[in-house]
Amino acid sequence: MEKDYGHKPVLLEECLEALAIRPEGVYVDGTLGRAGHSEQIVRRLATGRLICVDLTTGRLIGIDRDLTAIDAARERLADFGDRVTLVHGNFSDLGDILQNLGIVGVDGMLFDLGVSSPQLDEPQRGFSYMHDAPLDMRMDRTASLDAGAVVNTWSYEELRRILFAYGEERYAPQIARAIVRRREDRPIRTTGELAEIIRSAMPPKALREKQHPAKRSFQAIRIAVNGELDALPPMLEAAADHLAPGGRLAVITFHSLEDRAVKQKLRELSTGCTCPPEFPVCVCGKKPKLKLVTRKPVLSGPAELEENPRARSAKLRAAERTEW
């Protein structure tokens, strides 16, 4: 009987198809989480042992900034032995990680962005507005910056900026003012306090919306704490540089800011000459590093949405490395 690890990997079959896994290939899961995607990738690598022991060199590199995730993945993937290498690190350092491991060309990379279901489901991590817990929101709990520091020390201007830029919160000025007013009286310690402050700052019509009033603000603070959007462009650039020719890149996003950043960067990496049309010959010398595999994002089907409602906002984009 297969063990339940409390996390359903999103768009699993679509990711495996996008990666076009070869048993002898080298693959990177840059957002390891609880290893739901990784387990299925490495199973397809392990299958190669039944075909030809001598020629199969399949390997999986799992990266995560959350040590709890690394520990859980180590247990889940224990049966696959030295085919799996786990690294505690940030995917923004992808190039350095692969260089330190002596890996030149990767056959496929997967990045499942955003906060993981287990992180949301562990109240003490402070990601959720549904539980009262210390303000934390760090994906890497060894990092110095947490949500408490953002909420209690950042200026009104910075709070307003991140709420608007990272949460697309139209009531960002009112919420930022309410946070600053409250902390002048006493520090804001918990997610429950913060959620109530946000709720009190919003007009009645906003409170009648379907989604929780704190959803956008919590997203914004989490992104600021973890530098999530800042890490995307260098990660995607490094991924393109370290893919072998024909290697695949698959990225799952969960909100419009992530998807927009990924879409723009993949488009940039798949664009060749940028010389003005009137130039008779190319002088920029720019060649595309990638070609798009998915012109439009792949979405979850009805069956997955019924089983896993958190998949409703997931979007998968994929690209393939051109010749070096």
Side-chain angles (χ1 to χ4, degrees):
M1 183 176 176
E2 189 172 337
K3 184 175 178 180
D4 181 6
Y5 288 89
H7 173 59
K8 298 182 185 301
V10 172
L11 291 165
L12 176 60
E13 294 304 322
E14 292 84 353
C15 286
L16 297 173
E17 181 179 351
L19 290 171
I21 296 166
R22 302 195 303 271
E24 74 281 4
V26 178
Y27 293 85
V28 170
D29 185 344
T31 47
L32 184 63
R34 294 304 190 268
H37 290 104
S38 281
E39 182 182 20
Q40 295 307 315
I41 292 171
V42 77
R43 282 188 184 281
R44 282 153 179 76
L45 302 181
T47 302
R49 285 181 291 186
L50 303 177
I51 301 171
C52 183
V53 174
D54 296 329
L55 296 180
T56 298
T57 56
R59 185 179 179 190
L60 173 75
I61 313 300
I63 303 169
D64 207 291
R65 61 200 301 188
D66 186 344
L67 280 169
T68 304
I70 294 285
D71 290 340
R74 183 173 289 112
E75 177 187 350
R76 186 169 189 169
L77 302 176
D79 291 344
F80 300 100
D82 58 6
R83 288 183 174 275
V84 177
T85 301
L86 303 183
V87 179
H88 177 228
N90 192 324
F91 62 49
S92 63
D93 300 321
L94 177 66
D96 292 337
I97 291 170
L98 293 176
Q99 184 176 359
N100 291 337
L101 293 173
I103 296 173
V104 178
V106 177
D107 297 289
M109 300 192 197
L110 170 65
F111 298 91
D112 182 0
L113 303 180
V115 64
S116 70
S117 294
Q119 287 170 335
L120 284 172
D121 293 338
E122 295 173 12
Q124 69 274 19
R125 301 297 298 271
F127 286 103
S128 176
Y129 42 77
M130 302 302 291
H131 306 283
D132 193 25
L135 276 173
D136 194 327
M137 300 193 194
R138 290 174 298 171
M139 293 178 179
D140 180 354
R141 286 194 276 192
T142 67
S144 57
L145 180 66
D146 64 12
V150 171
V151 169
N152 287 293
T153 67
W154 285 20
S155 68
Y156 161 78
E157 289 78 13
E158 271 297 284
L159 289 172
R160 179 180 56 80
R161 183 188 69 80
I162 66 168
L163 292 173
F164 184 76
Y166 298 158
E168 300 178 296
E169 176 55 74
R170 60 187 180 277
Y171 301 109
Q174 295 94 315
I175 294 170
R177 269 195 295 271
I179 290 172
V180 171
R181 274 198 307 269
R182 176 66 67 87
R183 76 189 192 195
E184 287 174 352
D185 180 40
R186 63 182 185 280
I188 302 165
R189 301 292 189 190
T190 71
T191 54
E193 287 181 71
L194 179 59
E196 184 52 41
I197 292 166
I198 294 167
R199 181 191 297 273
S200 69
M202 300 177 79
K205 67 177 181 178
L207 301 179
R208 291 193 291 269
E209 293 179 2
K210 186 176 181 180
Q211 73 175 17
H212 194 284
K215 180 178 180 179
R216 290 184 290 265
S217 295
F218 268 60
Q219 172 185 295
I221 295 168
R222 189 202 81 217
I223 289 172
V225 166
N226 296 289
E228 294 172 42
L229 293 179
D230 294 337
L232 276 180
M235 175 274 282
L236 293 169
E237 190 82 46
D241 288 340
H242 288 82
L243 280 171
R248 293 287 187 88
L249 170 63
V251 186
I252 304 173
T253 63
F254 285 89
H255 58 76
S256 60
L257 296 172
E258 286 177 340
D259 186 58
R260 193 179 308 135
V262 170
K263 179 181 178 180
Q264 290 173 349
K265 192 63 180 178
L266 292 184
R267 182 186 295 156
E268 175 190 323
L269 291 168
S270 61
T271 300
C273 173
T274 56
C275 293
E278 62 269 20
F279 278 30
V281 295
C282 173
V283 296
C284 73
K286 185 176 183 294
K287 296 185 182 300
K289 294 181 179 180
L290 301 175
K291 62 179 180 181
L292 298 180
V293 174
T294 55
R295 293 286 172 182
K296 293 183 177 180
V298 178
L299 308 178
S300 298
E304 180 173 16
L305 292 176
E306 184 176 350
E307 183 181 3
N308 183 12
R310 285 178 177 169
R312 66 184 178 277
S313 57
K315 294 181 179 180
L316 170 66
R317 294 184 184 273
E320 182 177 297
R321 184 64 160 96
T322 58
E323 294 296 318
W324 282 347

